[in-house]
Amino acid sequence: MHIRPAGHRFIAMARAYLVSAPVLVALVFFLHGDATAYFYAALLHLLLFFLFVECFYHVERSVTLRLMVEILEAPRGQTSIDDIMKGYSVDDMIRRRLEDMSRSSLVTRSDGKWMLAPKGRRLARMMDFSCKIYRSKPQNERL
């Protein structure tokens, strides 16, 4: 994703998954697997794909990781809070995130107000349900 950035990253990851599927079939065939071997190989392949997608988005969107990388890449591996804050504006960060969510059809804007689109509402409900099942706290409650 960093060597050859894609506009729609999930679609790029899904294409890579689909392209790698025949390799999986050929590998199981080469290893003389039976029907259950194909099933388990396909299941493992799918689970690894979902793991990769989850990890990619977690790392890609992690502000903490971004800050750590910026400190790592700073001269002599050190920087001041003022230098870091020059590159960050909370207003700009929120605006860019809302614009990204709008392009992904998660939110819409009407009369200067942001609201969840149907796709965003479904995702928010799923994530809320998941947080309740796993008793996970949002980031602001973990502090």
Side-chain angles (χ1 to χ4, degrees), residues 76-143:
R76 295 182 313 244
Q78 53 189 0
T79 187
S80 70
I81 186 77
D82 294 327
D83 288 338
I84 292 172
M85 290 182 73
K86 286 178 189 174
Y88 290 91
S89 159
V90 173
D91 295 336
D92 185 51
M93 206 183 303
I94 292 170
R95 181 185 51 74
R96 282 184 291 144
R97 184 64 58 93
L98 285 168
E99 288 171 358
D100 286 346
M101 292 168 61
S102 179
R103 280 191 294 277
S104 298
S105 302
L106 295 171
V107 297
T108 60
R109 189 173 184 181
S110 176
D111 298 325
K113 306 277 184 182
W114 291 97
M115 63 193 96
L116 289 173
K119 179 180 174 182
R121 192 172 293 108
R122 285 190 304 273
L123 181 61
R125 283 186 181 135
M126 284 187 329
M127 296 314 308
D128 184 51
F129 181 70
S130 174
C131 287
K132 287 175 183 169
I133 288 175
Y134 294 108
R135 295 182 183 166
S136 172
K137 293 181 182 178
Q139 188 170 0
N140 63 338
E141 292 180 13
R142 284 186 242 159
L143 301 174

Side-chain angles (χ1 to χ4, degrees), residues 33-76:
D34 59 3
T36 53
Y38 284 102
F39 170 76
Y40 286 118
L43 179 64
L44 180 62
H45 190 236
L46 181 66
L47 292 174
L48 287 173
F49 168 71
F50 284 129
L51 175 68
F52 175 77
V53 170
E54 179 65 28
C55 289
F56 176 82
Y57 281 112
H58 180 73
V59 169
E60 179 72 12
R61 294 292 183 191
S62 171
V63 175
T64 303
L65 183 62
R66 276 180 47 193
L67 290 172
M68 291 172 63
V69 169
E70 286 185 25
I71 294 170
L72 176 71
E73 293 176 349
R76 295 182 313 244

